[in-house]
Amino acid sequence: MELTYCMPTRILSGRDCVVKKGAELAAFGKKALIVTGSRSAKANGSLDDVLKALASNAQEYCLYDRVMSNPTIACAYQGAAFAKQNGADFVIAIGGGSPMDAAKAMALLACQDIPEAELFSGKYGTEALPIVCVPTTAGTGSEVTQYSILTNDKAETKTSIATALIFPKLALLDAKYLSGLNRATAVNTVVDALSHAIEGMLSVRASELSDLLACESIRLISSCFTDLSEGTLSFEQLERLLYASTLAGMVIANTGTTAVHAMGYSLTYFKNVDHGRANGLLLGEYLKFAQKTNEPLVRKILAPMKLSSVSAFKTLMEKLLGEKETLTGEEIARFSAIAAKARNIPNSAVAPSESDIQAMFTAAFIPEEAVSPAALRHYDLEFIRLENYIPAAHFRTVPSKLRTVPGGPTEIRVEMEVSQKFAEKLPFPVGWDGKIWGYVHDNESLKDIFSGDMATDGKNKAVYINDWGENFLVTFENRERNKEVSYFVLAKEVSVLLNTCRFVLEG
Ligand code: NAP
Ligand code: FE
């Protein structure tokens, strides 16, 4: 088995670990730059604990407590200058992802003169100050990643510095700091962690080991959904969530994130949507998109949540995230163009094109009744197991020759008898004996198939089974072609049908 996995951060966890394990800080130098947001680290006891630990080691500190949410490039340079002025030997970040990410950039910039134009280039020297992280949200996993994500006004999005130099040396996890989180921040940050675990599995760099961590993270997070939604999380659950978010951080440190983060950054940059919430609003649509070409993978992701469908996942997210923001068509076009350029897109196992991104934004944000049926026609598809609907014995093909029809000479004509159960699902009556007819295509061009006119036999039902990469798209329609329903089925099921079908003579 080929495997690459790296996790250089030492992780210590447990109630009061900052004070109890404070001696660990002594190794990093005489003076710490402490980096926090403006309020929460002072209010939840984490800053006090860090100060106690430093005092017991006779270490000095200077405090930079001006990190805003979604930290800016300017903030990173300012903090780095402050670290240099004060002669800091190492950095301790306390807070959510924002102070941790800002602190990581500061640690790099305190040791290297990197011009702003090269900040995200990936080309750096060899030095950065050692970093210690004390996370106070169960969300970003930044305490165990080599990423610092900054608001990038030039690119009108958020962009990552990614370098092993900023892997924290030490992460101290104490869930007691999380007890004062309000419901919205708790939900939004936990959904970010969930998104990391899920996206890690949807990354081109996913491995057996990262999937193991991701599935465990998803399982732990989903075990807290009810109390998270109701704002009644116990200390034990907060511990579980903090641990799960660190696991998810270990996943993305190895896999990176995908299209979901790329798209979410636009929602944060332009619409001020919290980072985790932005991911949560898009995750269901991306799962639905990925399912079209990799259904087993999506099942594997849903399994630890004990969910049987992407729709069930979307319902769950809707319950957690409440009413959605609104987007206009122009905003969707602009956000899609920006997201399509992100590095996370080619990192996605099922990489969407710009128009796929647009379709996902549309499906996530524009109410269905406002979208023209044409735009949704072939988008809103479900997977079915063909065997439940069309018994192989009732499936026949015309063997003698490939037919030449307007869609091209590649069709095999088929006749199938659908089960009663399936007939009830079709949007038109299936009539006398449940038989419908149609073609199996190995034709890639769906456009030709649907705009062409093949249903000219005077019969009143048709099915087209079209090869669509790893899966087949099965469309049933009435003769007027004004009612249709499409499903994806696994390619292997269609082959089983073809291999076991009965042949009928043409005519
Ligand atoms: P955040 O922006 O760090 O914090 C959100 C809010 O929660 C702030 O108002 C903060 O207050 C408050 N807060 C933090 N801890 C609290 C606590 N224990 N009790 C009460 N309030 C608390 O939010 P985040 O979601 O954790 O981080 C988001 C950032 O992380 C984004 O910039 C995102 O891009 C980045 N991120 C990084 C990675 C990575 O791998 N590096 C991965 C995903 C996301 P104060 O401002 O007063 O502290
Ligand atoms: Fe994130």
Side-chain angles (χ1 to χ4, degrees):
M1 176 178 47
E2 276 187 32
L3 185 68
T4 308
Y5 181 81
C6 172
M7 184 33 58
T9 304
R10 179 167 163 78
I11 300 166
L12 299 171
S13 162
R15 201 193 270 266
D16 300 324
C17 66
V18 172
V19 174
K20 283 186 185 157
K21 312 278 183 180
E24 298 257 345
L25 299 177
F28 299 115
K30 288 201 187 90
K31 189 166 186 177
L33 164 71
I34 301 177
V35 180
T36 70
S38 58
R39 201 192 52 82
S40 71
K42 295 180 188 97
N44 63 33
S46 51
L47 178 61
D48 277 347
D49 282 355
V50 166
L51 295 182
K52 263 187 228 158
L54 290 172
S56 66
N57 298 332
Q59 287 169 296
E60 294 172 39
Y61 71 92
C62 55
L63 174 67
Y64 183 95
D65 61 0
R66 275 165 288 154
V67 179
M68 66 295 280
S69 281
N70 306 302
T72 58
I73 294 174
C75 164
Y77 278 98
Q78 192 183 55
F82 183 71
K84 285 199 263 190
Q85 273 162 25
N86 286 279
D89 302 309
F90 67 110
V91 179
I92 304 177
I94 310 170
S98 298
M100 289 193 281
D101 281 11
K104 287 151 109 177
M106 290 171 193
L108 183 72
L109 292 167
C111 297
Q112 299 183 32
D113 288 323
I114 306 169
E116 199 179 314
E118 315 244 309
L119 190 55
F120 303 108
S121 68
K123 294 182 201 116
Y124 310 115
T126 55
E127 299 283 305
L129 297 179
I131 299 156
V132 176
C133 285
V134 181
T136 66
T137 61
T140 68
S142 185
E143 66 276 10
V144 291
T145 70
Q146 70 283 40
Y147 312 123
S148 159
I149 301 164
L150 301 176
T151 299
N152 180 350
D153 289 321
K154 283 208 182 77
E156 295 187 309
T157 185
K158 301 186 69 179
T159 312
S160 309
I161 300 175
T163 164
L165 295 171
I166 59 171
F167 253 123
K169 294 274 182 279
L170 177 66
L172 293 160
L173 315 183
D174 186 346
K176 74 178 179 187
Y177 307 132
L178 279 64
S179 57
L181 280 169
N182 61 41
R183 181 195 179 274
T185 311
V187 166
N188 294 344
T189 48
V190 168
V191 168
D192 188 28
L194 180 68
S195 196
H196 295 161
I198 291 178
E199 288 179 66
M201 295 178 75
L202 289 163
S203 156
V204 290
R205 288 185 276 155
S207 70
E208 287 202 21
L209 181 48
S210 65
D211 279 0
L212 195 74
L213 298 172
C215 282
E216 178 62 356
S217 175
I218 295 169
R219 188 185 69 79
L220 291 170
I221 291 170
S222 71
S223 72
C224 299
F225 277 152
T226 308
D227 288 298
L228 177 64
S229 181
E230 285 164 15
T232 52
L233 291 167
S234 63
F235 175 75
E236 186 274 332
Q237 286 172 313
L238 288 172
E239 271 201 319
R240 213 186 302 166
L241 290 170
L242 183 56
Y243 171 62
S245 93
T246 302
L247 287 182
M250 291 158 71
V251 172
I252 58 165
N254 287 278
T255 64
T257 56
T258 66
V260 177
H261 267 64
M263 294 166 72
Y265 290 150
S266 283
L267 295 179
T268 301
Y269 186 87
F270 290 106
K271 306 285 283 187
N272 210 19
V273 178
D274 279 359
H275 171 70
R277 176 178 173 81
N279 297 332
L281 293 170
L282 295 160
L283 207 42
E285 285 310 320
Y286 184 60
L287 282 174
K288 212 162 148 191
F289 174 76
Q291 188 179 44
K292 289 183 207 166
T293 46
N294 201 338
E295 203 247 353
L297 177 57
V298 173
R299 276 184 200 280
K300 188 175 166 186
I301 290 168
L302 296 175
M305 292 182 271
K306 299 194 173 71
L307 295 177
S308 58
S309 70
V310 175
S311 315
F313 177 79
K314 286 175 71 176
T315 307
L316 205 131
M317 284 295 112
E318 276 159 23
K319 192 169 166 222
L320 279 174
L321 299 171
E323 204 181 323
K324 290 175 186 175
E325 289 71 5
T326 49
L327 297 191
T328 64
E330 291 79 53
E331 283 174 324
I332 287 178
R334 186 172 181 205
F335 299 175
S336 304
I338 293 172
K341 290 191 213 106
R343 283 184 290 206
N344 323 47
I345 299 292
N347 195 52
S348 313
V350 185
S353 66
E354 187 176 327
S355 64
D356 295 328
I357 292 174
Q358 217 162 339
M360 285 190 271
F361 267 127
T362 305
F365 285 96
I366 310 268
E368 222 166 278
E369 54 279 11
V371 181
S372 75
L376 275 183
R377 197 168 172 219
H378 300 300
Y379 185 67
D380 198 15
L381 298 170
E382 267 182 64
F383 259 91
I384 59 165
R385 297 220 159 262
L386 209 48
E387 69 205 7
N388 294 339
Y389 296 115
I390 303 158
H394 298 234
F395 182 84
R396 314 157 210 215
T397 73
V398 179
S400 50
K401 56 182 190 293
L402 289 176
R403 281 169 59 95
T404 301
V405 294
T410 55
E411 290 87 353
I412 305 169
R413 189 168 166 195
V414 299
E415 186 179 82
M416 53 175 66
E417 205 171 301
V418 298
S419 69
Q420 185 61 33
K421 185 175 150 203
F422 189 43
E424 283 163 13
K425 282 190 130 195
L426 292 175
F428 49 85
V430 167
W432 77 111
D433 57 359
K435 279 197 195 104
I436 48 181
W437 62 272
Y439 302 102
V440 177
H441 296 264
D442 64 0
N443 190 333
E444 289 156 14
S445 166
L446 279 178
K447 229 175 35 211
D448 289 349
I449 291 161
F450 285 104
S451 59
D453 185 16
M454 286 178 287
T456 53
D457 272 21
K459 304 257 173 65
N460 59 356
K461 336 271 170 335
V463 56
Y464 301 107
I465 305 181
N466 302 296
D467 188 344
W468 239 43
E470 281 174 44
N471 300 298
F472 278 81
L473 181 78
V474 183
T475 297
F476 299 89
E477 63 176 35
N478 66 345
R479 186 189 164 205
E480 284 74 37
R481 317 196 103 195
N482 59 359
K483 290 207 170 106
E484 66 168 42
V485 54
S486 294
Y487 297 97
F488 278 102
V489 293
L490 294 172
K492 79 168 186 292
E493 292 189 55
V494 173
S495 350
V496 169
L497 277 182
L498 285 170
N499 288 334
T500 55
C501 69
R502 285 184 284 145
F503 294 123
V504 288
L505 288 179
E506 199 171 354

